Amino acid sequence: MQMNEFKKITIEEWGKAPGGEIVYKYNVSGSRLAASFISFGATIQRMTYDGNDIIFSLPDVKKYAKFSGGCTGATVGRYAGRIAGGQFEIDGVKYQLPCNQRGNHMHGGNNGFNTKVWDGTPFETESEAGVEFSRISPDGEEGYPGNMNVSVRFSVTKDDCLKISYTASTDAPTVLNLTNHSYFNLNGFSVNKSGMPDSDGNNGDIEFMLDADCITELHDAIPTGRLIDVSGTPFDFRSPKIISDDAAKVKDSDGYDHNFVLNNPTLDNPCASAFSRKSGLMMECFTDQPGVQFFSLGTAGPAFALETQHFPDSPNHPDFPDTVLRPDEIFRSTTIYKFTKL
Protein backbone atom coordinates (compact mmCIF):
# COMPACT_ATOMS: atom_id res chain seq x y z
CA MET A 1 0.00 0.00 0.00
CA GLN A 2 1.28 3.46 -0.86
CA MET A 3 0.93 6.33 1.57
CA ASN A 4 -1.77 7.95 -0.55
CA GLU A 5 -4.03 5.02 0.36
CA PHE A 6 -4.12 6.40 3.90
CA LYS A 7 -6.42 9.33 4.31
CA LYS A 8 -4.67 12.35 5.72
CA ILE A 9 -4.68 12.34 9.52
CA THR A 10 -7.07 15.01 10.72
CA ILE A 11 -6.87 16.63 14.13
CA GLU A 12 -9.69 18.51 15.81
CA GLU A 13 -10.51 20.00 19.18
CA TRP A 14 -13.10 17.70 20.74
CA GLY A 15 -14.22 19.57 23.84
CA LYS A 16 -12.67 20.00 27.26
CA ALA A 17 -11.87 17.60 30.07
CA PRO A 18 -13.32 18.16 33.55
CA GLY A 19 -10.12 20.02 34.49
CA GLY A 20 -10.50 22.43 31.56
CA GLU A 21 -7.80 20.93 29.33
CA ILE A 22 -8.53 20.83 25.59
CA VAL A 23 -9.15 17.30 24.33
CA TYR A 24 -7.91 16.52 20.81
CA LYS A 25 -9.28 13.93 18.43
CA TYR A 26 -7.12 12.21 15.79
CA ASN A 27 -8.80 10.50 12.81
CA VAL A 28 -7.07 8.03 10.48
CA SER A 29 -8.19 5.46 7.92
CA GLY A 30 -6.68 2.47 6.19
CA SER A 31 -8.27 0.76 3.22
CA ARG A 32 -11.31 -0.56 5.12
CA LEU A 33 -10.53 0.07 8.79
CA ALA A 34 -10.83 3.57 10.26
CA ALA A 35 -10.32 4.79 13.83
CA SER A 36 -10.50 7.92 15.92
CA PHE A 37 -8.40 8.45 19.04
CA ILE A 38 -8.86 11.09 21.74
CA SER A 39 -6.31 12.48 24.17
CA PHE A 40 -8.68 12.05 27.14
CA GLY A 41 -7.69 8.68 28.54
CA ALA A 42 -5.60 7.85 25.43
CA THR A 43 -8.85 6.39 24.17
CA ILE A 44 -9.98 4.63 21.01
CA GLN A 45 -13.08 6.75 20.55
CA ARG A 46 -14.43 5.11 17.41
CA MET A 47 -13.54 2.30 15.04
CA THR A 48 -15.31 1.29 11.84
CA TYR A 49 -14.90 -1.41 9.23
CA ASP A 50 -16.41 -0.61 5.83
CA GLY A 51 -18.12 2.30 7.58
CA ASN A 52 -19.81 0.16 10.25
CA ASP A 53 -19.07 0.90 13.91
CA ILE A 54 -17.47 -2.10 15.62
CA ILE A 55 -16.60 -0.72 19.07
CA PHE A 56 -18.77 0.90 21.71
CA SER A 57 -18.19 4.65 21.60
CA LEU A 58 -19.52 7.71 23.37
CA PRO A 59 -20.54 10.98 21.69
CA ASP A 60 -18.54 13.54 23.70
CA VAL A 61 -15.91 14.09 26.37
CA LYS A 62 -18.50 14.67 29.10
CA LYS A 63 -19.86 11.17 28.57
CA TYR A 64 -16.37 9.66 28.76
CA ALA A 65 -15.73 11.52 32.01
CA LYS A 66 -19.14 10.59 33.45
CA PHE A 67 -18.73 6.90 32.66
CA SER A 68 -14.99 6.74 33.39
CA GLY A 69 -15.54 3.75 35.69
CA GLY A 70 -16.27 1.67 32.61
CA CYS A 71 -12.98 2.74 30.96
CA THR A 72 -14.71 2.70 27.57
CA GLY A 73 -12.01 2.40 24.89
CA ALA A 74 -9.42 3.85 27.24
CA THR A 75 -5.85 3.06 28.20
CA VAL A 76 -5.97 1.51 31.67
CA GLY A 77 -3.17 1.87 34.23
CA ARG A 78 -1.00 2.03 36.13
CA TYR A 79 -2.42 -1.39 36.96
CA ALA A 80 -5.25 -2.87 34.90
CA GLY A 81 -7.51 -5.26 36.79
CA ARG A 82 -7.74 -5.78 40.52
CA ILE A 83 -5.18 -5.63 43.33
CA ALA A 84 -6.50 -7.25 46.52
CA GLY A 85 -7.11 -4.70 49.24
CA GLY A 86 -5.11 -2.20 47.21
CA GLN A 87 -1.94 -3.54 48.84
CA PHE A 88 1.38 -4.81 47.51
CA GLU A 89 5.02 -4.94 48.55
CA ILE A 90 8.25 -4.26 46.68
CA ASP A 91 11.67 -4.93 48.24
CA GLY A 92 10.13 -5.06 51.72
CA VAL A 93 8.30 -1.74 51.34
CA LYS A 94 4.50 -1.93 51.62
CA TYR A 95 2.23 0.29 49.54
CA GLN A 96 -1.45 1.08 49.96
CA LEU A 97 -3.49 2.14 46.94
CA PRO A 98 -7.03 3.59 47.04
CA CYS A 99 -9.74 0.93 46.98
CA ASN A 100 -12.44 1.78 44.46
CA GLN A 101 -14.16 -1.56 43.84
CA ARG A 102 -15.56 -3.76 46.63
CA GLY A 103 -12.59 -3.13 48.90
CA ASN A 104 -10.03 -3.65 46.16
CA HIS A 105 -7.99 -1.44 43.84
CA MET A 106 -9.37 -1.58 40.29
CA HIS A 107 -8.07 -0.28 36.93
CA GLY A 108 -5.61 2.23 38.39
CA GLY A 109 -7.85 3.68 41.09
CA ASN A 110 -10.23 6.62 41.31
CA ASN A 111 -8.27 8.69 38.80
CA GLY A 112 -6.37 6.23 36.67
CA PHE A 113 -4.79 6.71 33.27
CA ASN A 114 -8.24 6.63 31.64
CA THR A 115 -9.12 9.97 33.30
CA LYS A 116 -5.97 11.86 32.29
CA VAL A 117 -5.37 14.10 29.28
CA TRP A 118 -2.36 12.81 27.34
CA ASP A 119 -0.05 14.60 24.91
CA GLY A 120 -0.58 13.42 21.33
CA THR A 121 1.84 13.25 18.39
CA PRO A 122 0.51 12.04 15.00
CA PHE A 123 2.72 9.98 12.69
CA GLU A 124 2.67 8.32 9.27
CA THR A 125 4.93 5.65 7.74
CA GLU A 126 4.69 3.53 4.61
CA SER A 127 2.75 0.83 6.47
CA GLU A 128 0.77 2.58 9.20
CA ALA A 129 -0.60 5.87 10.45
CA GLY A 130 -1.81 6.98 13.85
CA VAL A 131 -0.98 8.87 17.03
CA GLU A 132 1.34 8.36 19.97
CA PHE A 133 0.02 9.51 23.34
CA SER A 134 2.40 10.13 26.23
CA ARG A 135 2.37 11.44 29.79
CA ILE A 136 4.40 11.44 32.98
CA SER A 137 2.65 9.76 35.89
CA PRO A 138 4.14 11.47 38.97
CA ASP A 139 5.44 9.66 42.02
CA GLY A 140 2.55 8.97 44.37
CA GLU A 141 -0.19 9.22 41.74
CA GLU A 142 -3.00 6.99 43.04
CA GLY A 143 -0.49 5.68 45.59
CA TYR A 144 1.99 4.21 43.10
CA PRO A 145 5.73 4.78 43.68
CA GLY A 146 8.06 6.32 41.12
CA ASN A 147 7.80 8.89 38.35
CA MET A 148 6.72 6.96 35.28
CA ASN A 149 7.15 8.03 31.67
CA VAL A 150 4.53 6.14 29.68
CA SER A 151 3.37 6.16 26.07
CA VAL A 152 0.80 4.30 24.00
CA ARG A 153 0.99 4.30 20.22
CA PHE A 154 -2.18 3.59 18.22
CA SER A 155 -2.04 2.95 14.49
CA VAL A 156 -4.14 1.70 11.61
CA THR A 157 -2.00 -0.47 9.33
CA LYS A 158 -2.07 -1.12 5.61
CA ASP A 159 -3.55 -4.61 6.16
CA ASP A 160 -6.51 -3.39 8.28
CA CYS A 161 -5.05 -3.96 11.71
CA LEU A 162 -5.34 -1.82 14.80
CA LYS A 163 -1.92 -1.87 16.45
CA ILE A 164 -1.32 -0.78 20.06
CA SER A 165 2.24 -0.43 21.37
CA TYR A 166 3.08 0.49 24.96
CA THR A 167 6.35 1.81 26.40
CA ALA A 168 7.10 2.76 30.01
CA SER A 169 10.05 3.57 32.26
CA THR A 170 10.33 4.59 35.91
CA ASP A 171 12.81 6.19 38.32
CA ALA A 172 11.81 3.92 41.24
CA PRO A 173 10.55 0.33 41.50
CA THR A 174 6.82 0.17 40.83
CA VAL A 175 4.17 -2.16 39.41
CA LEU A 176 2.70 -1.83 35.94
CA ASN A 177 -0.05 -3.53 33.95
CA LEU A 178 -1.35 -1.70 30.88
CA THR A 179 -4.28 -2.59 28.64
CA ASN A 180 -6.93 -1.13 26.39
CA HIS A 181 -10.59 -1.45 27.36
CA SER A 182 -12.53 -1.35 24.09
CA TYR A 183 -15.86 -3.16 23.81
CA PHE A 184 -16.29 -4.93 20.46
CA ASN A 185 -19.41 -5.93 18.58
CA LEU A 186 -18.67 -7.36 15.14
CA ASN A 187 -22.37 -7.03 14.26
CA GLY A 188 -22.02 -3.27 14.59
CA PHE A 189 -23.54 -0.45 16.62
CA SER A 190 -26.17 2.14 15.80
CA VAL A 191 -27.00 5.41 17.55
CA ASN A 192 -30.27 5.79 19.45
CA LYS A 193 -32.36 8.93 19.97
CA SER A 194 -30.24 9.94 22.96
CA GLY A 195 -27.09 9.92 20.86
CA MET A 196 -25.84 6.79 22.61
CA PRO A 197 -24.80 3.62 20.78
CA ASP A 198 -27.00 0.54 20.64
CA SER A 199 -25.71 -2.84 19.57
CA ASP A 200 -27.01 -4.37 16.35
CA GLY A 201 -27.12 -7.87 17.80
CA ASN A 202 -25.79 -9.69 20.87
CA ASN A 203 -23.16 -12.38 21.36
CA GLY A 204 -25.60 -15.07 20.22
CA ASP A 205 -24.00 -15.34 16.79
CA ILE A 206 -20.37 -14.56 17.65
CA GLU A 207 -18.05 -17.56 17.35
CA PHE A 208 -15.18 -17.08 19.75
CA MET A 209 -11.84 -18.84 20.20
CA LEU A 210 -9.25 -18.33 22.94
CA ASP A 211 -5.96 -20.25 23.01
CA ALA A 212 -5.81 -20.87 26.75
CA ASP A 213 -5.69 -24.15 28.69
CA CYS A 214 -6.19 -22.42 32.06
CA ILE A 215 -7.78 -19.49 33.81
CA THR A 216 -6.77 -17.92 37.11
CA GLU A 217 -9.07 -19.20 39.85
CA LEU A 218 -11.11 -16.46 41.53
CA HIS A 219 -12.55 -15.93 44.98
CA ASP A 220 -14.75 -12.87 45.22
CA ALA A 221 -13.24 -11.62 41.92
CA ILE A 222 -9.63 -11.87 43.21
CA PRO A 223 -7.19 -14.57 42.02
CA THR A 224 -6.40 -17.23 44.60
CA GLY A 225 -3.05 -18.00 42.99
CA ARG A 226 -4.24 -21.30 41.55
CA LEU A 227 -4.82 -22.08 37.88
CA ILE A 228 -7.90 -24.01 36.72
CA ASP A 229 -7.87 -26.32 33.69
CA VAL A 230 -10.63 -25.16 31.33
CA SER A 231 -11.42 -28.71 30.15
CA GLY A 232 -15.09 -29.51 30.69
CA THR A 233 -15.87 -25.99 31.92
CA PRO A 234 -17.64 -22.97 30.38
CA PHE A 235 -14.18 -21.46 29.92
CA ASP A 236 -13.02 -23.86 27.23
CA PHE A 237 -12.77 -21.78 24.05
CA ARG A 238 -9.88 -23.71 22.53
CA SER A 239 -12.23 -24.65 19.70
CA PRO A 240 -14.55 -21.92 18.41
CA LYS A 241 -17.95 -21.74 20.07
CA ILE A 242 -20.73 -19.18 20.47
CA ILE A 243 -19.97 -16.80 23.35
CA SER A 244 -23.43 -17.05 24.88
CA ASP A 245 -23.63 -20.87 24.77
CA ASP A 246 -22.07 -21.40 28.21
CA ALA A 247 -22.04 -17.88 29.66
CA ALA A 248 -25.04 -18.56 31.92
CA LYS A 249 -23.15 -21.51 33.44
CA VAL A 250 -20.41 -19.25 34.83
CA LYS A 251 -20.76 -19.20 38.62
CA ASP A 252 -20.52 -16.06 40.76
CA SER A 253 -20.41 -13.77 37.72
CA ASP A 254 -22.84 -12.30 35.21
CA GLY A 255 -21.16 -13.86 32.21
CA TYR A 256 -17.42 -13.87 31.61
CA ASP A 257 -15.04 -11.59 33.50
CA HIS A 258 -11.98 -13.82 33.85
CA ASN A 259 -8.27 -13.87 33.16
CA PHE A 260 -7.24 -16.53 30.64
CA VAL A 261 -3.66 -17.80 30.76
CA LEU A 262 -2.47 -17.76 27.16
CA ASN A 263 -0.68 -20.82 25.81
CA ASN A 264 1.69 -19.14 23.37
CA PRO A 265 1.41 -15.34 23.39
CA THR A 266 3.33 -14.05 20.37
CA LEU A 267 2.71 -11.56 17.60
CA ASP A 268 2.94 -14.37 15.04
CA ASN A 269 -0.09 -16.42 16.09
CA PRO A 270 -3.51 -15.20 17.25
CA CYS A 271 -4.32 -15.77 20.91
CA ALA A 272 -8.01 -15.17 20.25
CA SER A 273 -10.45 -14.73 17.40
CA ALA A 274 -14.08 -13.76 16.98
CA PHE A 275 -16.30 -14.24 13.97
CA SER A 276 -19.75 -12.77 13.36
CA ARG A 277 -22.05 -15.09 11.46
CA LYS A 278 -24.27 -12.06 10.84
CA SER A 279 -21.75 -9.62 9.37
CA GLY A 280 -19.06 -12.03 8.17
CA LEU A 281 -16.41 -9.99 10.01
CA MET A 282 -13.48 -11.82 11.60
CA MET A 283 -11.27 -10.29 14.30
CA GLU A 284 -7.99 -11.89 15.35
CA CYS A 285 -6.04 -10.76 18.41
CA PHE A 286 -2.25 -11.04 18.69
CA THR A 287 -0.29 -10.12 21.83
CA ASP A 288 2.98 -10.65 23.68
CA GLN A 289 1.25 -10.42 27.07
CA PRO A 290 0.77 -13.58 29.19
CA GLY A 291 -2.97 -13.18 29.76
CA VAL A 292 -6.20 -11.73 28.49
CA GLN A 293 -9.18 -10.63 30.54
CA PHE A 294 -12.25 -11.75 28.63
CA PHE A 295 -15.34 -9.73 29.54
CA SER A 296 -18.69 -10.53 27.95
CA LEU A 297 -21.01 -7.79 29.28
CA GLY A 298 -23.50 -10.33 30.64
CA THR A 299 -24.56 -13.77 29.46
CA ALA A 300 -25.73 -12.55 26.04
CA GLY A 301 -24.51 -9.00 26.13
CA PRO A 302 -24.17 -6.43 23.37
CA ALA A 303 -20.36 -6.49 23.28
CA PHE A 304 -17.21 -8.12 24.63
CA ALA A 305 -13.77 -6.95 25.70
CA LEU A 306 -10.38 -8.61 25.19
CA GLU A 307 -7.99 -6.93 27.62
CA THR A 308 -4.49 -8.22 26.84
CA GLN A 309 -2.41 -7.83 29.98
CA HIS A 310 -0.61 -9.49 32.89
CA PHE A 311 -2.68 -11.31 35.49
CA PRO A 312 -4.86 -9.47 38.04
CA ASP A 313 -3.30 -9.17 41.51
CA SER A 314 0.09 -10.37 40.25
CA PRO A 315 2.01 -8.24 42.80
CA ASN A 316 0.59 -10.51 45.53
CA HIS A 317 1.29 -13.82 43.77
CA PRO A 318 5.01 -14.62 43.32
CA ASP A 319 4.21 -17.50 40.94
CA PHE A 320 2.43 -15.20 38.48
CA PRO A 321 4.42 -13.38 35.75
CA ASP A 322 6.25 -10.46 37.34
CA THR A 323 4.75 -6.96 36.99
CA VAL A 324 7.47 -5.03 38.84
CA LEU A 325 9.20 -2.40 36.69
CA ARG A 326 12.58 -1.11 37.84
CA PRO A 327 14.62 1.98 36.87
CA ASP A 328 17.08 0.00 34.73
CA GLU A 329 14.27 -1.54 32.66
CA ILE A 330 11.99 -0.39 29.84
CA PHE A 331 8.59 -1.98 29.50
CA ARG A 332 7.49 -2.65 25.92
CA SER A 333 4.43 -4.51 24.72
CA THR A 334 2.33 -4.76 21.57
CA THR A 335 -1.21 -5.94 20.85
CA ILE A 336 -2.71 -6.21 17.36
CA TYR A 337 -6.33 -6.62 16.32
CA LYS A 338 -6.65 -7.77 12.71
CA PHE A 339 -9.95 -7.51 10.82
CA THR A 340 -10.98 -9.52 7.77
CA LYS A 341 -14.29 -9.85 5.93
CA LEU A 342 -14.99 -13.50 5.14
Side-chain angles (χ1 to χ4, degrees):
M1 173 179 287
Q2 301 299 314
M3 276 305 299
N4 58 16
E5 291 184 82
F6 282 118
K7 293 182 180 178
K8 179 178 174 61
I9 297 175
T10 61
I11 306 170
E12 58 185 294
E13 292 188 12
W14 207 63
K16 293 185 177 181
E21 308 98 320
I22 295 174
V23 173
Y24 292 95
K25 182 177 179 180
Y26 301 80
N27 309 295
V28 61
S29 296
S31 57
R32 304 179 76 172
L33 184 70
S36 296
F37 313 100
I38 58 172
S39 55
F40 183 77
T43 295
I44 306 171
Q45 187 272 326
R46 188 183 183 195
M47 190 155 57
T48 63
Y49 189 89
D50 285 344
N52 298 312
D53 287 278
I54 55 174
I55 66 165
F56 186 85
S57 63
L58 296 172
D60 53 53
V61 178
K62 291 182 179 179
K63 290 288 195 307
Y64 279 96
K66 181 178 179 179
F67 299 114
S68 61
C71 300
T72 303
T75 298
V76 182
R78 286 189 193 188
Y79 201 96
R82 297 169 177 87
I83 296 179
Q87 299 177 344
F88 65 91
E89 184 176 314
I90 302 177
D91 300 334
V93 180
K94 296 181 179 179
Y95 297 93
Q96 177 65 59
L97 310 177
C99 294
N100 59 324
Q101 205 262 350
R102 295 170 57 186
N104 302 305
H105 182 82
M106 177 72 168
H107 285 341
N110 297 309
N111 296 287
F113 285 2
N114 63 302
T115 69
K116 307 299 182 182
V117 177
W118 298 55
D119 295 324
T121 304
F123 64 89
E124 295 185 46
T125 72
E126 292 184 358
S127 60
E128 60 184 321
V131 58
E132 181 171 317
F133 292 114
S134 61
R135 69 178 300 265
I136 294 176
S137 174
D139 179 39
E141 184 174 70
E142 292 296 291
Y144 290 94
N147 295 293
M148 176 176 286
N149 193 331
V150 59
S151 68
V152 55
R153 181 181 173 102
F154 295 109
S155 63
V156 174
T157 73
K158 66 179 181 180
D159 53 352
D160 291 320
C161 295
L162 174 76
K163 184 177 179 182
I164 309 174
S165 298
Y166 305 95
T167 305
S169 60
T170 180
D171 63 3
T174 190
V175 295
L176 176 70
N177 191 25
L178 298 173
T179 195
N180 179 266
H181 209 301
S182 291
Y183 299 94
F184 297 94
N185 187 337
L186 304 185
N187 294 321
F189 291 92
S190 56
V191 178
N192 63 26
K193 294 180 180 179
S194 301
M196 297 289 284
D198 280 335
S199 63
D200 293 338
N202 59 31
N203 293 324
D205 58 5
I206 301 294
E207 293 182 357
F208 186 70
M209 184 281 295
L210 225 169
D211 185 20
D213 292 337
C214 300
I215 63 168
T216 48
E217 181 185 56
L218 298 179
H219 175 70
D220 197 21
I222 296 294
T224 65
R226 293 181 61 244
L227 303 184
I228 297 177
D229 188 333
V230 300
S231 300
T233 76
F235 305 100
D236 192 348
F237 285 98
R238 290 172 295 184
S239 296
K241 69 177 180 181
I242 300 298
I243 291 177
S244 58
D245 278 359
D246 291 333
K249 300 176 185 177
V250 177
K251 297 179 180 180
D252 304 320
S253 180
D254 183 23
Y256 296 100
D257 188 8
H258 297 76
N259 174 66
F260 287 72
V261 180
L262 298 177
N263 290 333
N264 183 33
T266 73
L267 298 182
D268 297 320
N269 298 296
C271 69
S273 66
F275 172 67
S276 168
R277 293 177 176 177
K278 180 180 178 180
S279 69
L281 185 60
M282 166 76 81
M283 182 182 80
E284 296 175 290
C285 177
F286 304 77
T287 189
D288 53 19
Q289 291 291 278
V292 59
Q293 189 82 8
F294 175 47
F295 182 57
S296 67
L297 273 177
T299 58
F304 63 89
L306 282 175
E307 304 160 57
T308 57
Q309 57 184 42
H310 274 62
F311 303 168
D313 202 34
S314 283
N316 295 309
H317 298 282
D319 292 336
F320 284 2
D322 191 13
T323 56
V324 174
L325 183 67
R326 298 183 180 277
D328 60 345
E329 300 170 338
I330 297 178
F331 173 83
R332 291 187 176 91
S333 177
T334 297
T335 291
I336 298 171
Y337 299 98
K338 183 176 182 178
F339 298 90
T340 309
K341 201 66 170 285
L342 301 182

